[in-house]
Amino acid sequence: MKTLIQGANVVTPDGTIEADVLIEGQLIKAIGKDLGDAETTIDASGKHLIPGVIDDQVHFREPGLTEKEDLAHATRACAKGGVTSFLEMPNTVPNTITVEALEQKLDLASEKCIVNYGFYIGATPDNVDELNKATRTPGIKIFIGSSTGNLLVDEQAALEKIFAETSLPICAHCEDETTVRANAAKYASSTDVADHSKVRDHEAALIATRRAIDLAHRHNHRFHVLHVSTGAEVDLIAEAGDLITAEACPHHLFFNIDDYARLGSLIKMNPSIKTAADNERLWQGLLDGTIGVVATDHAPHTMAEKQLPYPKCPSGLPAVENYLALMLNEVNRGRCSLQQVVSWMCEAPAKVWDIKNKGRIEVGRDADLTLVDMGLDRTISNGQQQTKCGWSPWDGETLKGWAVRTFVMGQEVYRLENGVETFSNSPTGHEIQYDHPAS
């Protein structure tokens, strides 16, 4: 099967060129002009073709918490948002802390996902043997801070063992548990959701991130700082060297503590939303290369749960179907370039997690592609969300720049045409493959 995408502004590693792209089977066959005939031809004049987005931090809730989200809804949301691959976190029910649990999730995904899928294995204080047996995974996730089940790892001896005795890349949720608990006791009587940012304060994030970077350096272990939320962490990461990579999330880039008055518990997150000054330092970190990845931390809960009074309302918000548009809107505003967005959301996550054959538009690479209309205005609406939880904190916001076609391994899984959305009805996603170097 051949598909010819004609006349697109193709964003390649060497710059943007007007060209045709020929897809044959699952791969990019050719880039250029006069590429011959194909069974399907798409006129992409005036639009931009970028690599499929790779979201390296999501919580899709299946198995165990499917009243909030499931793989079928979540991957439709991915397709709508131009996301062709996701990496999902291990705090499902049961936790993904064994190779058996990991393989069960991979089997489940093969039956339900319309985009490509991968799953982290979670660290516990005593599962190093399982971590070392895992191969079909991007890496190890550590919760150095509150989590579910047996996933909290904050004792130094356990952390030393994980960093010293495993070889897969490690990422972590960095909030110091001792600091968070002390702050929680201080604000135990509060019913003001804005106090969440005082419980999970700047110091909690900085202490844990500094601790994890120290572990990585002493054990010469690749380490990725998830959802950086403070300017102080950006400064720390800037001095940490090439062994350390980091990411920012839309809620920490676009929301701050001034937004609690408007959005309340909808923006209650872990790590918490910080200040406007932190927003600006995170953007500066992206623009100067200190932070390399933009991911969502898509963490849906039902609206009924989010409307519970503080502190009973859970932390987390959905973002996967809107975060490319949020970033494209910033391109249109002049804050960053499309080339930078492609680096942060396609190339960098593929590099950080040793993902094979994805992240760039090059001949021979997987045909994971997103066609975007940089001039298209759409308004985010709760009633049109694909995520099962059915809401967005950006409800009512109009953004310019949206995905209009999404291709996964050469197959179209999403199309927006004349205002009508069409999705793949079959599980077209593939298990992501990794090229982790030998330890």
Side-chain angles (χ1 to χ4, degrees), residues 386-416:
Q386 296 298 316
T387 175
K388 191 173 183 180
C389 72
W391 63 273
S392 168
W394 290 280
D395 176 52
E397 292 198 27
T398 300
L399 306 175
K400 178 175 283 189
W402 288 86
V404 293
R405 289 181 187 253
T406 305
F407 299 87
V408 171
M409 300 294 281
Q411 296 189 53
E412 186 179 85
V413 297
Y414 171 77
R415 181 191 307 179
L416 173 63

Side-chain angles (χ1 to χ4, degrees), residues 112-186:
K112 298 193 173 186
C113 292
I114 65 170
V115 302
N116 303 314
Y117 49 87
F119 300 94
Y120 295 92
I121 188 166
T124 75
D126 53 11
N127 75 334
V128 163
D129 288 345
E130 290 292 325
L131 301 181
N132 281 325
K133 287 190 293 184
T135 56
R136 296 166 64 188
T137 182
I140 297 164
K141 167 69 180 288
I142 307 177
F143 287 86
I144 309 177
S146 300
S147 186
T148 55
N150 194 34
L151 284 167
L152 173 63
V153 185
D154 67 341
E155 293 297 328
Q156 189 67 22
L159 288 167
E160 296 279 358
K161 186 177 179 68
I162 294 165
F163 275 86
E165 298 183 13
T166 65
S167 61
L168 287 171
I170 293 174
C171 61
H173 179 124
C174 293
E175 287 185 292
D176 182 63
E177 185 70 9
T178 300
T179 301
V180 170
R181 288 180 180 178
N183 289 340
K186 183 177 178 181

Side-chain angles (χ1 to χ4, degrees), residues 63 94 98-110 119 136:
T98 65
V99 171
E100 180 182 10
L102 173 66
E103 292 178 346
Q104 287 173 352
K105 284 176 80 170
L106 288 165
D107 289 342
L108 190 64
S110 71
F119 300 94
R136 296 166 64 188

